[in-house]
Amino acid sequence: MSGITLSEAELVAITGYELATKQLNVLQARGFHRAFIDRNGALVLERAHYEAVCQGHSEKPRKSANISFLHKAAA
């Protein structure tokens, strides 16, 4: 195992699926919030993020409202 991202074989082994959309659903349900499908339809998961989540060092992304239009209106 090496490289910046997990290989297709590793993703199949982890999720049990070959289809990228199903892999993404499984990974996001398990806390891998940085996984995404690229322009070619392949799932991408950075190895560093995978290892951090497995070690318990993951933080769920915080959602915030986009209020940038308010700042422009006030200026």
Side-chain angles (χ1 to χ4, degrees), residues 13-58:
I14 293 166
T15 64
Y17 292 103
E18 291 185 13
L19 191 62
T21 53
K22 289 191 176 198
Q23 290 174 337
L24 183 60
N25 289 338
V26 169
L27 290 170
Q28 288 182 337
R30 293 181 183 171
F32 299 96
H33 301 288
R34 292 179 57 178
F36 65 94
I37 297 175
D38 69 9
R39 292 181 183 180
N40 298 322
L43 185 85
V44 177
L45 178 60
E46 297 169 350
R47 188 169 304 282
H49 177 63
Y50 172 77
E51 292 172 355
V53 171
C54 289
Q55 293 175 5
H57 301 291
S58 180

